[in-house]
């Protein structure tokens, strides 16, 4: 018979408890995340602009009709590829000495990182959601909780 908790039949906990974290792992994380997001938004905007111009020139301007929605795709792959990479952080997060991990401490796979980015950009439509971080003892935002991710200072 099959177990209702998982596909493989082995029982796994639905939520991974966070390991006790040293205070230094969360010190200044909120402020650093805000600056990192600003840096990353600037980088994604520059990448999107360059890609927009290059693709437009390569197609003699025809692609400019279809490229206004380029920013979300660039942001999706920017976050997914950088966070799931060996540095576990976007360039803005690296500058601010942050890294992203799953709550069980393992590296973030591409799909989790990309979904986290989508949830982050959806959160911008409802700014009061970011107040959740002020109530969370581990300084996680709601989109972090939904994606099963935590942002920490590098060791």
């Amino acid at each position: 018979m099959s177990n209702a908790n998982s596909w493989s039949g082995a029982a796994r906990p639905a939520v991974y408890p966070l390991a006790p974290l040293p205070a230094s792992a969360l010190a200044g994380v909120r402020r650093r995340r805000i600056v990192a997001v600003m840096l990353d938004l600037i980088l994604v905007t520059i990448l999107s602009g360059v890609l927009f111009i290059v693709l437009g020139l390569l197609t003699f301007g025809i692609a400019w009709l279809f490229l206004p929605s380029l920013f979300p795709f660039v942001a999706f792959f920017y976050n997914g590829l950088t966070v799931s990479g060996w540095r576990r952080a976007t360039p803005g997060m690296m500058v601010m000495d942050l890294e992203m991990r799953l709550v069980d401490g393992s590296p973030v796979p591409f799909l989790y990182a990309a979904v986290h980015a989508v949830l982050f950009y959806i959160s911008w439509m409802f700014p009061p959601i970011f107040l959740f971080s002020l109530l969370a003892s581990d300084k996680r935002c709601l989109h972090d909780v939904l994606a099963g991710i935590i942002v920490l200072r590098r060791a």
Side-chain angles (χ1 to χ4, degrees), residues 81-136:
L81 292 172
T82 57
V83 170
S84 65
W86 64 276
R87 293 185 178 170
R88 297 182 185 106
T90 63
M93 290 171 69
M94 286 186 291
V95 168
M96 297 310 298
D97 200 30
L98 298 171
E99 71 178 0
M100 197 177 284
R101 294 186 173 267
L102 292 178
V103 292
D104 65 355
S106 61
V108 180
F110 173 81
L111 191 57
Y112 279 66
V115 166
H116 180 265
V118 170
L119 291 172
F120 170 73
Y121 287 110
I122 290 172
S123 296
W124 279 85
M125 291 185 234
F126 309 101
I129 288 177
F130 289 107
L131 296 176
F132 181 87
S133 172
L134 298 174
L135 304 174

Tab-separated table of all heavy atoms in Angstrom, residues 81-136:
chain	number	residue	atom	x	y	z
A	81	LEU	N	19.524	30.701	-10.908
A	81	LEU	CA	20.885	30.236	-11.199
A	81	LEU	C	21.900	30.686	-10.158
A	81	LEU	O	22.802	29.927	-9.809
A	81	LEU	CB	21.313	30.709	-12.587
A	81	LEU	CG	20.554	30.077	-13.758
A	81	LEU	CD1	20.927	30.758	-15.064
A	81	LEU	CD2	20.821	28.583	-13.824
A	82	THR	N	21.775	31.897	-9.658
A	82	THR	CA	22.781	32.371	-8.696
A	82	THR	C	22.599	31.749	-7.321
A	82	THR	O	23.576	31.364	-6.686
A	82	THR	CB	22.766	33.904	-8.586
A	82	THR	OG1	21.457	34.339	-8.224
A	82	THR	CG2	23.189	34.557	-9.889
A	83	VAL	N	21.364	31.626	-6.861
A	83	VAL	CA	21.136	31.061	-5.527
A	83	VAL	C	21.403	29.557	-5.510
A	83	VAL	O	21.889	29.023	-4.516
A	83	VAL	CB	19.700	31.383	-5.033
A	83	VAL	CG1	19.361	30.608	-3.792
A	83	VAL	CG2	19.560	32.867	-4.785
A	84	SER	N	21.130	28.870	-6.611
A	84	SER	CA	21.386	27.430	-6.641
A	84	SER	C	22.837	27.124	-7.009
A	84	SER	O	23.238	25.967	-7.015
A	84	SER	CB	20.448	26.741	-7.637
A	84	SER	OG	20.727	27.166	-8.960
A	85	GLY	N	23.635	28.135	-7.278
A	85	GLY	CA	25.046	27.947	-7.612
A	85	GLY	C	25.879	27.630	-6.391
A	85	GLY	O	25.394	27.565	-5.259
A	86	TRP	N	27.162	27.487	-6.599
A	86	TRP	CA	28.043	27.066	-5.514
A	86	TRP	C	28.225	28.138	-4.450
A	86	TRP	O	28.597	27.832	-3.319
A	86	TRP	CB	29.391	26.611	-6.068
A	86	TRP	CG	30.173	27.687	-6.752
A	86	TRP	CD1	30.034	28.096	-8.045
A	86	TRP	CD2	31.214	28.472	-6.192
A	86	TRP	NE1	30.915	29.096	-8.324
A	86	TRP	CE2	31.664	29.347	-7.204
A	86	TRP	CE3	31.809	28.532	-4.947
A	86	TRP	CZ2	32.685	30.262	-6.993
A	86	TRP	CZ3	32.823	29.448	-4.739
A	86	TRP	CH2	33.245	30.295	-5.755
A	87	ARG	N	27.935	29.402	-4.767
A	87	ARG	CA	28.066	30.461	-3.758
A	87	ARG	C	26.800	30.633	-2.924
A	87	ARG	O	26.808	31.348	-1.935
A	87	ARG	CB	28.422	31.778	-4.427
A	87	ARG	CG	29.801	31.737	-5.027
A	87	ARG	CD	30.178	33.066	-5.583
A	87	ARG	NE	31.536	33.013	-6.108
A	87	ARG	CZ	32.060	33.950	-6.820
A	87	ARG	NH1	31.371	35.038	-7.110
A	87	ARG	NH2	33.282	33.841	-7.258
A	88	ARG	N	25.696	30.064	-3.365
A	88	ARG	CA	24.413	30.085	-2.645
A	88	ARG	C	23.892	31.496	-2.404
A	88	ARG	O	23.264	31.763	-1.381
A	88	ARG	CB	24.526	29.340	-1.320
A	88	ARG	CG	24.839	27.884	-1.470
A	88	ARG	CD	24.886	27.203	-0.121
A	88	ARG	NE	25.293	25.835	-0.289
A	88	ARG	CZ	26.492	25.365	0.024
A	88	ARG	NH1	27.383	26.165	0.557
A	88	ARG	NH2	26.775	24.104	-0.170
A	89	ALA	N	24.160	32.402	-3.334
A	89	ALA	CA	23.731	33.786	-3.149
A	89	ALA	C	23.720	34.510	-4.484
A	89	ALA	O	24.465	34.164	-5.396
A	89	ALA	CB	24.668	34.497	-2.182
A	90	THR	N	22.876	35.526	-4.570
A	90	THR	CA	22.914	36.424	-5.715
A	90	THR	C	24.123	37.342	-5.543
A	90	THR	O	24.677	37.431	-4.437
A	90	THR	CB	21.628	37.267	-5.778
A	90	THR	OG1	21.558	38.082	-4.607
A	90	THR	CG2	20.384	36.398	-5.891
A	91	PRO	N	24.538	38.041	-6.580
A	91	PRO	CA	25.666	38.969	-6.402
A	91	PRO	C	25.413	40.022	-5.311
A	91	PRO	O	26.318	40.350	-4.555
A	91	PRO	CB	25.804	39.612	-7.781
A	91	PRO	CG	25.348	38.541	-8.720
A	91	PRO	CD	24.203	37.878	-8.006
A	92	GLY	N	24.185	40.524	-5.218
A	92	GLY	CA	23.866	41.484	-4.158
A	92	GLY	C	23.993	40.874	-2.777
A	92	GLY	O	24.469	41.507	-1.839
A	93	MET	N	23.588	39.615	-2.652
A	93	MET	CA	23.713	38.925	-1.365
A	93	MET	C	25.179	38.653	-1.031
A	93	MET	O	25.569	38.724	0.136
A	93	MET	CB	22.924	37.617	-1.393
A	93	MET	CG	21.431	37.819	-1.424
A	93	MET	SD	20.527	36.297	-1.709
A	93	MET	CE	20.833	35.438	-0.183
A	94	MET	N	25.991	38.355	-2.050
A	94	MET	CA	27.413	38.121	-1.793
A	94	MET	C	28.082	39.388	-1.276
A	94	MET	O	28.901	39.329	-0.361
A	94	MET	CB	28.109	37.623	-3.060
A	94	MET	CG	27.782	36.185	-3.388
A	94	MET	SD	28.728	35.529	-4.763
A	94	MET	CE	28.064	36.455	-6.121
A	95	VAL	N	27.738	40.535	-1.874
A	95	VAL	CA	28.304	41.804	-1.428
A	95	VAL	C	27.924	42.067	0.031
A	95	VAL	O	28.733	42.580	0.809
A	95	VAL	CB	27.818	42.967	-2.333
A	95	VAL	CG1	28.132	44.312	-1.730
A	95	VAL	CG2	28.419	42.832	-3.714
A	96	MET	N	26.712	41.685	0.401
A	96	MET	CA	26.228	41.935	1.761
A	96	MET	C	26.529	40.772	2.715
A	96	MET	O	26.018	40.731	3.825
A	96	MET	CB	24.725	42.221	1.745
A	96	MET	CG	24.371	43.484	0.972
A	96	MET	SD	25.344	44.926	1.429
A	96	MET	CE	24.919	45.126	3.119
A	97	ASP	N	27.323	39.813	2.270
A	97	ASP	CA	27.780	38.710	3.123
A	97	ASP	C	26.624	37.823	3.590
A	97	ASP	O	26.555	37.432	4.755
A	97	ASP	CB	28.556	39.272	4.316
A	97	ASP	CG	29.454	38.248	4.964
A	97	ASP	OD1	29.935	37.350	4.256
A	97	ASP	OD2	29.661	38.331	6.189
A	98	LEU	N	25.699	37.507	2.666
A	98	LEU	CA	24.557	36.651	2.972
A	98	LEU	C	24.596	35.406	2.110
A	98	LEU	O	25.207	35.394	1.036
A	98	LEU	CB	23.240	37.395	2.714
A	98	LEU	CG	22.968	38.635	3.540
A	98	LEU	CD1	21.742	39.358	3.011
A	98	LEU	CD2	22.791	38.283	5.001
A	99	GLU	N	23.927	34.370	2.564
A	99	GLU	CA	23.730	33.178	1.747
A	99	GLU	C	22.353	32.609	2.035
A	99	GLU	O	21.752	32.888	3.068
A	99	GLU	CB	24.813	32.139	2.003
A	99	GLU	CG	24.735	31.443	3.334
A	99	GLU	CD	25.802	30.385	3.508
A	99	GLU	OE1	26.615	30.185	2.591
A	99	GLU	OE2	25.818	29.756	4.569
A	100	MET	N	21.851	31.816	1.097
A	100	MET	CA	20.521	31.252	1.218
A	100	MET	C	20.637	29.730	1.278
A	100	MET	O	21.402	29.130	0.527
A	100	MET	CB	19.694	31.677	-0.008
A	100	MET	CG	18.222	31.514	0.153
A	100	MET	SD	17.313	32.119	-1.280
A	100	MET	CE	17.418	33.871	-1.048
A	101	ARG	N	19.888	29.132	2.189
A	101	ARG	CA	19.875	27.674	2.346
A	101	ARG	C	18.457	27.203	2.574
A	101	ARG	O	17.589	27.989	2.965
A	101	ARG	CB	20.718	27.251	3.543
A	101	ARG	CG	22.183	27.523	3.379
A	101	ARG	CD	22.949	26.935	4.541
A	101	ARG	NE	24.366	27.038	4.321
A	101	ARG	CZ	25.105	26.087	3.765
A	101	ARG	NH1	24.555	24.970	3.378
A	101	ARG	NH2	26.397	26.260	3.607
A	102	LEU	N	18.236	25.907	2.369
A	102	LEU	CA	16.972	25.325	2.796
A	102	LEU	C	16.978	25.280	4.314
A	102	LEU	O	18.035	25.333	4.935
A	102	LEU	CB	16.801	23.913	2.223
A	102	LEU	CG	16.617	23.817	0.712
A	102	LEU	CD1	16.519	22.351	0.289
A	102	LEU	CD2	15.399	24.573	0.248
A	103	VAL	N	15.814	25.174	4.918
A	103	VAL	CA	15.762	25.211	6.381
A	103	VAL	C	16.473	24.025	7.031
A	103	VAL	O	16.842	24.101	8.191
A	103	VAL	CB	14.311	25.311	6.903
A	103	VAL	CG1	13.712	26.652	6.548
A	103	VAL	CG2	13.455	24.181	6.397
A	104	ASP	N	16.689	22.956	6.287
A	104	ASP	CA	17.436	21.833	6.860
A	104	ASP	C	18.943	22.000	6.693
A	104	ASP	O	19.712	21.129	7.076
A	104	ASP	CB	16.960	20.506	6.272
A	104	ASP	CG	17.242	20.360	4.792
A	104	ASP	OD1	17.724	21.329	4.172
A	104	ASP	OD2	16.969	19.278	4.237
A	105	GLY	N	19.370	23.127	6.115
A	105	GLY	CA	20.794	23.419	5.979
A	105	GLY	C	21.404	23.041	4.652
A	105	GLY	O	22.546	23.378	4.370
A	106	SER	N	20.658	22.356	3.796
A	106	SER	CA	21.206	21.934	2.512
A	106	SER	C	21.150	23.073	1.489
A	106	SER	O	20.406	24.037	1.662
A	106	SER	CB	20.442	20.703	2.007
A	106	SER	OG	19.075	21.012	1.827
A	107	PRO	N	21.933	22.961	0.421
A	107	PRO	CA	21.915	23.990	-0.624
A	107	PRO	C	20.543	24.062	-1.305
A	107	PRO	O	19.800	23.080	-1.349
A	107	PRO	CB	22.974	23.516	-1.619
A	107	PRO	CG	23.826	22.569	-0.865
A	107	PRO	CD	22.951	21.949	0.177
A	108	VAL	N	20.228	25.216	-1.850
A	108	VAL	CA	18.933	25.443	-2.480
A	108	VAL	C	18.984	24.974	-3.933
A	108	VAL	O	19.821	25.460	-4.705
A	108	VAL	CB	18.565	26.940	-2.423
A	108	VAL	CG1	17.218	27.197	-3.067
A	108	VAL	CG2	18.581	27.442	-0.993
A	109	PRO	N	18.103	24.054	-4.342
A	109	PRO	CA	18.052	23.651	-5.752
A	109	PRO	C	17.472	24.776	-6.618
A	109	PRO	O	16.808	25.689	-6.116
A	109	PRO	CB	17.123	22.439	-5.762
A	109	PRO	CG	16.762	22.146	-4.365
A	109	PRO	CD	17.216	23.272	-3.510
A	110	PHE	N	17.719	24.705	-7.919
A	110	PHE	CA	17.272	25.746	-8.847
A	110	PHE	C	15.781	26.011	-8.736
A	110	PHE	O	15.355	27.170	-8.663
A	110	PHE	CB	17.621	25.359	-10.294
A	110	PHE	CG	17.038	26.313	-11.302
A	110	PHE	CD1	17.677	27.514	-11.572
A	110	PHE	CD2	15.852	26.025	-11.958
A	110	PHE	CE1	17.140	28.413	-12.486
A	110	PHE	CE2	15.309	26.922	-12.869
A	110	PHE	CZ	15.951	28.112	-13.137
A	111	LEU	N	14.973	24.980	-8.716
A	111	LEU	CA	13.523	25.174	-8.706
A	111	LEU	C	13.059	25.896	-7.445
A	111	LEU	O	12.220	26.793	-7.512
A	111	LEU	CB	12.803	23.826	-8.845
A	111	LEU	CG	11.316	23.912	-9.118
A	111	LEU	CD1	11.036	24.728	-10.369
A	111	LEU	CD2	10.730	22.525	-9.263
A	112	TYR	N	13.612	25.566	-6.301
A	112	TYR	CA	13.266	26.251	-5.049
A	112	TYR	C	13.675	27.728	-5.128
A	112	TYR	O	12.930	28.607	-4.702
A	112	TYR	CB	13.972	25.612	-3.855
A	112	TYR	CG	13.318	24.364	-3.325
A	112	TYR	CD1	13.261	23.202	-4.072
A	112	TYR	CD2	12.762	24.341	-2.062
A	112	TYR	CE1	12.673	22.058	-3.586
A	112	TYR	CE2	12.181	23.210	-1.552
A	112	TYR	CZ	12.135	22.062	-2.325
A	112	TYR	OH	11.546	20.929	-1.833
A	113	ALA	N	14.874	27.977	-5.642
A	113	ALA	CA	15.359	29.353	-5.747
A	113	ALA	C	14.494	30.160	-6.709
A	113	ALA	O	14.162	31.321	-6.430
A	113	ALA	CB	16.814	29.356	-6.213
A	114	ALA	N	14.098	29.570	-7.811
A	114	ALA	CA	13.263	30.270	-8.782
A	114	ALA	C	11.863	30.521	-8.225
A	114	ALA	O	11.302	31.610	-8.398
A	114	ALA	CB	13.200	29.474	-10.078
A	115	VAL	N	11.292	29.536	-7.540
A	115	VAL	CA	9.974	29.718	-6.923
A	115	VAL	C	10.054	30.788	-5.839
A	115	VAL	O	9.149	31.616	-5.699
A	115	VAL	CB	9.443	28.380	-6.364
A	115	VAL	CG1	8.262	28.586	-5.445
A	115	VAL	CG2	9.074	27.444	-7.509
A	116	HIS	N	11.133	30.793	-5.080
A	116	HIS	CA	11.333	31.822	-4.056
A	116	HIS	C	11.326	33.207	-4.699
A	116	HIS	O	10.724	34.144	-4.179
A	116	HIS	CB	12.647	31.577	-3.318
A	116	HIS	CG	12.944	32.580	-2.265
A	116	HIS	ND1	13.739	33.672	-2.498
A	116	HIS	CD2	12.527	32.680	-0.978
A	116	HIS	CE1	13.817	34.389	-1.389
A	116	HIS	NE2	13.089	33.814	-0.454
A	117	ALA	N	11.986	33.346	-5.845
A	117	ALA	CA	12.012	34.630	-6.550
A	117	ALA	C	10.617	35.044	-7.011
A	117	ALA	O	10.226	36.202	-6.874
A	117	ALA	CB	12.957	34.559	-7.741
A	118	VAL	N	9.861	34.091	-7.545
A	118	VAL	CA	8.490	34.395	-7.983
A	118	VAL	C	7.645	34.837	-6.795
A	118	VAL	O	6.919	35.835	-6.871
A	118	VAL	CB	7.864	33.171	-8.692
A	118	VAL	CG1	6.375	33.377	-8.920
A	118	VAL	CG2	8.574	32.893	-10.008
A	119	LEU	N	7.740	34.123	-5.688
A	119	LEU	CA	6.986	34.505	-4.486
A	119	LEU	C	7.423	35.878	-3.977
A	119	LEU	O	6.597	36.663	-3.509
A	119	LEU	CB	7.163	33.450	-3.389
A	119	LEU	CG	6.516	32.099	-3.648
A	119	LEU	CD1	6.939	31.098	-2.577
A	119	LEU	CD2	5.003	32.214	-3.711
A	120	PHE	N	8.711	36.173	-4.079
A	120	PHE	CA	9.210	37.476	-3.657
A	120	PHE	C	8.590	38.592	-4.492
A	120	PHE	O	8.105	39.595	-3.962
A	120	PHE	CB	10.734	37.530	-3.762
A	120	PHE	CG	11.298	38.899	-3.582
A	120	PHE	CD1	11.328	39.503	-2.345
A	120	PHE	CD2	11.788	39.613	-4.670
A	120	PHE	CE1	11.831	40.777	-2.176
A	120	PHE	CE2	12.297	40.883	-4.513
A	120	PHE	CZ	12.318	41.467	-3.260
A	121	TYR	N	8.587	38.416	-5.814
A	121	TYR	CA	8.037	39.461	-6.673
A	121	TYR	C	6.521	39.575	-6.525
A	121	TYR	O	5.970	40.667	-6.641
A	121	TYR	CB	8.455	39.243	-8.128
A	121	TYR	CG	9.913	39.563	-8.332
A	121	TYR	CD1	10.841	38.567	-8.585
A	121	TYR	CD2	10.373	40.864	-8.228
A	121	TYR	CE1	12.184	38.862	-8.748
A	121	TYR	CE2	11.716	41.176	-8.379
A	121	TYR	CZ	12.614	40.165	-8.642
A	121	TYR	OH	13.938	40.471	-8.790
A	122	ILE	N	5.842	38.489	-6.225
A	122	ILE	CA	4.403	38.555	-5.941
A	122	ILE	C	4.174	39.308	-4.631
A	122	ILE	O	3.203	40.057	-4.498
A	122	ILE	CB	3.783	37.140	-5.899
A	122	ILE	CG1	3.752	36.556	-7.300
A	122	ILE	CG2	2.390	37.171	-5.299
A	122	ILE	CD1	3.335	35.096	-7.357
A	123	SER	N	5.063	39.134	-3.663
A	123	SER	CA	4.946	39.832	-2.383
A	123	SER	C	4.971	41.342	-2.552
A	123	SER	O	4.391	42.069	-1.742
A	123	SER	CB	6.079	39.418	-1.437
A	123	SER	OG	5.997	38.059	-1.121
A	124	TRP	N	5.619	41.833	-3.587
A	124	TRP	CA	5.668	43.273	-3.829
A	124	TRP	C	4.285	43.846	-4.121
A	124	TRP	O	4.070	45.041	-3.974
A	124	TRP	CB	6.621	43.591	-4.983
A	124	TRP	CG	8.040	43.614	-4.533
A	124	TRP	CD1	8.868	42.539	-4.420
A	124	TRP	CD2	8.793	44.736	-4.096
A	124	TRP	NE1	10.097	42.934	-3.944
A	124	TRP	CE2	10.080	44.281	-3.748
A	124	TRP	CE3	8.519	46.094	-3.973
A	124	TRP	CZ2	11.074	45.132	-3.284
A	124	TRP	CZ3	9.512	46.926	-3.515
A	124	TRP	CH2	10.768	46.449	-3.173
A	125	MET	N	3.358	43.004	-4.534
A	125	MET	CA	1.992	43.471	-4.782
A	125	MET	C	1.231	43.698	-3.480
A	125	MET	O	0.221	44.388	-3.466
A	125	MET	CB	1.246	42.457	-5.642
A	125	MET	CG	1.739	42.380	-7.054
A	125	MET	SD	0.704	41.291	-7.994
A	125	MET	CE	1.914	40.184	-8.653
A	126	PHE	N	1.707	43.090	-2.401
A	126	PHE	CA	1.071	43.200	-1.086
A	126	PHE	C	2.132	43.565	-0.050
A	126	PHE	O	2.530	42.719	0.763
A	126	PHE	CB	0.392	41.878	-0.717
A	126	PHE	CG	-0.504	41.345	-1.780
A	126	PHE	CD1	-0.088	40.312	-2.615
A	126	PHE	CD2	-1.774	41.880	-1.968
A	126	PHE	CE1	-0.911	39.828	-3.599
A	126	PHE	CE2	-2.602	41.395	-2.961
A	126	PHE	CZ	-2.176	40.370	-3.782
A	127	PRO	N	2.618	44.792	-0.040
A	127	PRO	CA	3.740	45.184	0.836
A	127	PRO	C	3.564	44.866	2.312
A	127	PRO	O	4.562	44.561	2.977
A	127	PRO	CB	3.864	46.691	0.606
A	127	PRO	CG	3.294	46.913	-0.743
A	127	PRO	CD	2.193	45.900	-0.898
A	128	PRO	N	2.349	44.892	2.902
A	128	PRO	CA	2.260	44.550	4.326
A	128	PRO	C	2.734	43.129	4.648
A	128	PRO	O	3.061	42.840	5.803
A	128	PRO	CB	0.774	44.712	4.645
A	128	PRO	CG	0.279	45.690	3.637
A	128	PRO	CD	1.072	45.411	2.394
A	129	ILE	N	2.817	42.281	3.656
A	129	ILE	CA	3.305	40.908	3.887
A	129	ILE	C	4.739	40.931	4.420
A	129	ILE	O	5.133	40.053	5.194
A	129	ILE	CB	3.210	40.078	2.584
A	129	ILE	CG1	1.745	39.763	2.301
A	129	ILE	CG2	4.036	38.815	2.659
A	129	ILE	CD1	1.511	39.007	1.018
A	130	PHE	N	5.510	41.933	4.051
A	130	PHE	CA	6.899	42.006	4.517
A	130	PHE	C	6.998	42.256	6.022
A	130	PHE	O	8.040	42.027	6.619
A	130	PHE	CB	7.673	43.077	3.745
A	130	PHE	CG	7.941	42.693	2.315
A	130	PHE	CD1	7.258	43.300	1.281
A	130	PHE	CD2	8.864	41.716	2.008
A	130	PHE	CE1	7.489	42.942	-0.032
A	130	PHE	CE2	9.111	41.346	0.696
A	130	PHE	CZ	8.421	41.964	-0.327
A	131	LEU	N	5.923	42.714	6.638
A	131	LEU	CA	5.915	42.913	8.089
A	131	LEU	C	6.013	41.585	8.838
A	131	LEU	O	6.371	41.567	10.016
A	131	LEU	CB	4.662	43.671	8.513
A	131	LEU	CG	4.543	45.099	7.978
A	131	LEU	CD1	3.210	45.704	8.379
A	131	LEU	CD2	5.701	45.945	8.463
A	132	PHE	N	5.710	40.494	8.150
A	132	PHE	CA	5.839	39.165	8.749
A	132	PHE	C	7.253	38.950	9.288
A	132	PHE	O	7.444	38.322	10.330
A	132	PHE	CB	5.489	38.090	7.702
A	132	PHE	CG	5.557	36.689	8.218
A	132	PHE	CD1	4.469	36.117	8.843
A	132	PHE	CD2	6.713	35.936	8.070
A	132	PHE	CE1	4.524	34.820	9.318
A	132	PHE	CE2	6.782	34.639	8.547
A	132	PHE	CZ	5.678	34.082	9.177
A	133	SER	N	8.239	39.501	8.605
A	133	SER	CA	9.636	39.355	9.010
A	133	SER	C	9.899	39.960	10.388
A	133	SER	O	10.755	39.487	11.130
A	133	SER	CB	10.548	40.011	7.975
A	133	SER	OG	11.861	40.049	8.436
A	134	LEU	N	9.154	41.003	10.728
A	134	LEU	CA	9.346	41.642	12.041
A	134	LEU	C	8.832	40.772	13.178
A	134	LEU	O	9.270	40.909	14.317
A	134	LEU	CB	8.638	42.995	12.071
A	134	LEU	CG	9.140	44.036	11.067
A	134	LEU	CD1	8.268	45.274	11.105
A	134	LEU	CD2	10.596	44.364	11.305
A	135	LEU	N	7.909	39.873	12.863
A	135	LEU	CA	7.336	38.990	13.880
A	135	LEU	C	8.069	37.656	13.991
A	135	LEU	O	7.946	36.972	14.997
A	135	LEU	CB	5.855	38.739	13.574
A	135	LEU	CG	4.980	39.994	13.457
A	135	LEU	CD1	3.581	39.605	13.002
A	135	LEU	CD2	4.943	40.745	14.762
A	136	ALA	N	8.799	37.294	12.956
A	136	ALA	CA	9.479	35.993	12.939
A	136	ALA	C	10.799	36.080	13.696
A	136	ALA	O	11.609	36.980	13.456
A	136	ALA	CB	9.719	35.558	11.506
